[in-house]
Every structure is written in structure tokens, then in C-alpha cells.
Amino acid sequence: MKRIGILSDTHSCWDDRFERHFSGCDEVWHAGDIGDITVLRRLQQVAPQVRAVAGNVDHGEVRRVCQEVLIFEVEGVKVLLTHIGGYPGRYAPGLKKLLREQQIKLFVDGHSHILKVMPDRELDLLHINPGAAGYQGWQRERTLLRLTLDQGEIKDLEVITLAKTLGK
């Protein structure tokens, strides 16, 4: 059993509540638009394993250390992590084919700043976009997710809402 913290679109923002909410997680996944590399370094102090992908605003060191797509397996759940991916019924070009071929069960992306948790019954997977954890953007609330992966099951999904403004 593994506890996973998921966030996206920090745009160089660090909030000490990331540490509080992800404390005790076995892994933290960042779905791109990280911004400054220090965000990743701080997440690495919070969880034993951090997986992150580069987003469309990432450059420099973030771009050098992060790929655009990660495919991996945790607790019997095959995961695809990327930044721009769309969602069931509106996937980015070529993504539906990749999801099908790789037999992905959990698809995580960011970019839209819109929190979405949607099953794709056709591909038999769960799509998750954790929304935006940073301040940049039009979102009214900043969001994070936590979930548990356990022997092929995705369970105990929690949405964590942070105010749009700093410190609230």
C-alpha cells in the first residue's frame, strides 16, 4: 500500500501546507508547470519518492531533469503522468492510442488548472487532474490530491482545497 500526493501547476510557488498535506506520503507526483527547481527539491524533502514531468512553462534545470511523459507502475497500478493530456473524450492528439497500448489504469495530467477526477469507461482507467497548486492563473481555489494505491486498487482519494490567496 502506498500513499500518493499529487499536484500540478505550482508555477514556482511553494506553500508550507504542501509539506503538511503530503507528510506521510510514500510518493509525490507533480504534473508539470513546476517553475523553479526548488519546488522539486523541497518536495524531495517531504516524500521518499518524487516523480515529476515538465510542463509548457518549464525551462532550464526543470526541463533538464524532467521528461514530458512518465509511465510507471506502483502497487500494481500502471500510471501515465504528463502535463498536457486532455481528459476522457478530449484527449491530446495521440494520447488515447498511447493510453490503450500501454494499458494505463491511472492517467494524471495538469495544465488546465481545473480539478477533474473522471473515469474513462472505454479505456478502463481513471483520469485525474489535480487542478493548480500555485497562485498564477484564473482558478479561484488551489487544489492538491491524495490517494492510496493498494494491490491494483485506487482508493481513498481526497481533494485538499487551499485558498487562492497566500496564507489562507
Side-chain angles (χ1 to χ4, degrees):
M1 180 171 72
K2 299 252 179 165
R3 290 288 291 155
I4 312 295
I6 305 174
L7 74 168
S8 184
D9 295 279
T10 49
H11 294 269
S12 299
C13 162
W14 177 262
D15 185 319
D16 288 335
R17 291 172 294 177
F18 299 167
E19 182 175 2
R20 183 173 28 146
H21 291 297
F22 293 155
S23 168
C25 286
D26 300 290
E27 298 192 16
V28 172
W29 303 344
H30 195 305
D33 279 2
I34 296 158
D36 193 281
I37 193 71
T38 58
V39 172
L40 279 185
R41 290 186 181 133
R42 292 191 73 179
L43 289 172
Q44 289 167 340
Q45 295 172 359
V46 173
Q49 171 86 41
V50 174
R51 301 178 199 255
V53 292
N56 58 297
V57 303
D58 291 320
H59 59 280
E61 193 171 355
V62 171
R63 185 60 69 173
R64 286 190 294 277
V65 300
C66 295
Q67 299 173 38
E68 290 189 16
V69 176
L70 289 178
I71 297 174
F72 54 95
E73 190 168 314
V74 176
E75 282 288 315
V77 176
K78 196 159 185 188
V79 179
L80 188 146
L81 177 65
T82 193
H83 184 60
I84 301 175
Y87 53 90
R90 298 196 62 134
Y91 290 119
L95 192 60
K96 185 174 182 179
K97 181 178 186 237
L98 181 62
L99 293 167
R100 179 178 279 124
E101 287 174 355
Q102 293 293 318
Q103 299 179 350
I104 300 300
K105 293 300 173 192
L106 179 56
F107 167 47
V108 179
D109 68 351
H111 185 63
S112 71
H113 292 219
I114 299 170
L115 171 67
K116 284 189 181 186
V117 178
M118 300 174 65
D120 182 328
R121 292 184 191 357
E122 180 186 347
L123 297 181
D124 189 31
L125 63 80
L126 181 65
H127 165 260
I128 293 176
N129 184 321
Y135 298 104
Q136 183 175 331
W138 53 269
Q139 71 277 3
R140 291 179 195 218
E141 296 177 319
R142 300 164 43 237
T143 51
L144 315 169
L145 293 178
R146 277 189 311 228
L147 56 79
T148 300
L149 300 179
D150 188 10
Q151 298 179 30
E153 287 187 54
I154 304 164
K155 58 187 187 180
D156 303 329
L157 189 137
E158 303 169 76
V159 174
I160 300 156
T161 303
L162 306 172
K164 172 70 174 176
T165 56
L166 183 60
K168 297 206 176 178

